[in-house]
Amino acid sequence: MTTLNPALPYRDRKRPLWLMSLFVPALGLIGPALYLLVAPLNAWLWLSPAFFYFGIPLLDALIGEDPSNPPEEAVPGLEADPYYRWITYLLVPLLWLGFIANAAFVATQPLAWHGVLAMIISTGGGLGFAINLGHEMGHKKSALERWLGKIALALCCYGHFYIEHNRGHHRDVATPVDPASSRMGEHIYRFVLRELPGGFRRAWQLEKERLARCNQSPWSLGNEVLQPALISLALYGGLVAVFGIALLPYLLLTAFWGAFQLTSANYLEHYGLLRRKLDNGRYEICQPHHSWNSNHLFSNWALFHLQRHSDHHAHPTRRYQSLRNFENLPRLPSGYFGMYLLAYCPPLWFRVMNPRLLQAVNGETARINFQPGHRERLMRQYHLQDAPA
């Protein structure tokens, strides 16, 4: 563990670089700006998707990784520094303005179908950043941050994530009952059909049970699933009222692509990892080795250290700037953006990640979350055997 030399006050070398968390999502405006100011070419609109899915993995490879941690003595000061919070505060209006500006651009410009597709992918990628921001702020204790998290999630019509993630996923993570934990042998296109509806059902049920304990109806305004949903309805309804019903397919497809960015992150964060079931029927406490991690610098700057996922599950209220790396954890070969591309091609994903999974669990089948119906095939394919009872 790093310790602080009292003669040398700790300085966060990454401090200015966290502004990348503002800069990278703002790149979704570059294509429309070039289209309007330079020349009306649909090709401009593909610049942001190209950077998100190819440029960031390249930068991760070139810049590399940083496994260092802040000294624990410095963490209270880091957590109290308002600079880091203001970055998250500023990202909320930036994301909202970008989403509305892109919707207006699509509604008013004669784009080719592939230009509209580029805008869906680019703006939907921005919504992925909004969900990540909601994830960071939704875990905090202050009412302001929690509400800003809901407002960010409302952009993507994904406000239920506030409940589903905090009270559902963190409870059930790395178990077969968690719709947000992927299984060995499960490709991402099957996972999305389980995760998206499963997450909403769990969020609604959790909130329904909470309100019942308070003698309130699930249809009351106290329902924290409905609160951001009403914001989403006002936003999307307002855009349709201003620009016409023809904009609605673009809005819905963009929202889906934003939700799919969360699915992509969930898919790789706990792939195949399993918490042991104890004799009392409960699962063991979530440990750092139940999450996949990455220390790749650029994508961590863009994602508020989301890729240090083990420490997040161990300490959900710990702020992004002080999340730690741990030794001997399951490691991803790239940052999240590079892993997304791998996940979208299941044969490549299985070829790369299944051996890494087996290495991470030391070949212990009791620590693998198998896709139902695939266990025997995978055990034969990788020459696995159950440990003797």
Side-chain angles (χ1 to χ4, degrees):
M1 181 67 67
T2 306
T3 57
L4 185 63
N5 183 344
L8 298 172
Y10 176 74
R11 292 181 60 195
D12 180 9
R13 293 182 294 111
K14 303 174 188 175
R15 181 184 174 89
L17 295 168
W18 290 115
L19 293 173
M20 288 293 176
S21 300
L22 295 173
F23 172 73
V24 174
L27 291 176
L29 296 170
I30 293 295
L34 292 171
Y35 183 100
L36 294 172
L37 300 176
V38 178
L41 300 175
N42 286 270
W44 295 124
L45 309 179
W46 287 99
L47 290 177
S48 293
F51 179 76
F52 290 157
Y53 296 106
F54 297 98
I56 293 180
L58 179 60
L59 287 170
D60 272 340
L62 293 175
I63 298 173
E65 301 182 61
D66 176 20
S68 66
N69 297 324
E72 280 304 297
E73 302 94 315
V75 168
L78 272 177
E79 300 252 328
D81 189 337
Y83 168 80
Y84 299 97
R85 289 196 300 278
W86 272 105
I87 291 176
T88 61
Y89 297 166
L90 290 171
L91 186 53
V92 177
L94 179 64
L95 289 168
W96 268 71
L97 289 172
F99 180 79
I100 294 171
N102 281 352
F105 173 78
V106 170
T108 57
Q109 301 302 314
L111 303 179
W113 69 267
H114 50 85
V116 176
L117 177 62
M119 290 301 298
I120 290 170
I121 295 173
S122 177
T123 310
L127 294 182
F129 288 106
I131 295 177
N132 183 54
L133 177 63
H135 169 262
E136 170 65 22
M137 302 181 86
H139 277 292
K140 302 305 175 279
K141 297 178 181 179
S142 76
L144 172 62
E145 287 175 289
R146 287 174 178 261
W147 264 106
L148 286 174
K150 292 177 187 178
I151 291 169
L153 292 169
L155 271 179
C156 195
C157 301
Y158 218 82
H160 64 277
F161 178 77
Y162 175 79
I163 299 299
E164 196 284 323
H165 178 82
N166 292 16
R167 287 160 43 197
H169 175 63
H170 271 258
R171 178 193 65 190
D172 299 332
V173 61
T175 70
V177 300
D178 182 26
S181 294
S182 61
R183 302 157 176 168
M184 185 182 187
E186 180 180 32
H187 58 68
I188 192 170
Y189 305 109
R190 179 177 290 151
F191 176 67
V192 69
L193 297 177
R194 180 168 66 87
E195 190 244 7
L196 288 182
F200 182 82
R201 285 195 298 265
R202 180 165 62 181
W204 184 262
Q205 185 61 33
L206 286 167
E207 194 62 351
K208 182 180 178 181
E209 291 171 358
R210 181 187 71 84
L211 290 167
R213 292 193 294 270
C214 300
N215 296 315
Q216 294 185 46
S217 166
W219 297 104
S220 70
L221 288 178
N223 187 324
E224 293 189 280
V225 173
L226 292 180
Q227 290 169 0
L230 291 173
I231 300 173
S232 300
L233 183 63
L235 171 63
Y236 281 58
L239 289 171
V240 169
V242 171
F243 296 110
I245 193 67
L247 186 64
L248 186 59
Y250 161 80
L251 293 173
L252 295 180
L253 288 171
T254 299
F256 170 78
W257 191 250
F260 189 63
Q261 303 316 290
L262 171 66
T263 292
S264 301
N266 280 337
Y267 179 74
L268 58 93
E269 284 169 349
H270 306 282
Y271 176 74
L273 299 172
L274 179 66
R275 289 154 57 193
R276 297 179 189 272
K277 200 166 191 178
L278 306 176
D279 293 339
N280 61 8
R282 297 185 177 183
Y283 288 96
E284 64 177 316
I285 295 173
C286 184
Q287 301 291 331
H289 60 263
H290 293 127
S291 302
W292 291 94
N293 292 265
S294 168
N295 285 311
H296 288 84
L297 278 167
F298 193 89
S299 49
N300 265 315
W301 293 332
L303 294 172
F304 296 116
H305 253 159
L306 176 67
Q307 300 170 156
R308 288 191 168 183
H309 209 61
S310 289
D311 199 19
H312 166 69
H313 271 277
H315 303 93
T317 61
R318 195 175 178 104
R319 294 185 180 274
Y320 67 91
Q321 65 268 26
S322 54
L323 287 174
R324 295 161 294 182
N325 168 61
F326 295 100
E327 297 296 329
N328 302 316
L329 290 181
R331 298 283 178 203
L332 297 171
S334 177
Y336 278 18
F337 294 90
M339 298 307 298
Y340 291 170
L341 289 179
L342 198 65
Y344 299 161
C345 184
L348 285 178
W349 172 268
F350 294 142
R351 188 171 185 176
V352 171
M353 289 303 297
N354 283 354
R356 283 179 172 264
L357 171 62
L358 298 179
Q359 182 180 24
V361 301
N362 294 318
E364 297 178 41
T365 58
R367 295 171 57 192
I368 298 175
N369 187 6
F370 286 100
Q371 171 70 2
H374 290 248
R375 178 187 174 96
E376 296 305 318
R377 176 184 64 80
L378 290 167
M379 290 187 66
R380 289 194 305 270
Q381 179 179 350
Y382 293 102
H383 310 290
L384 301 174
Q385 291 185 345
D386 290 322

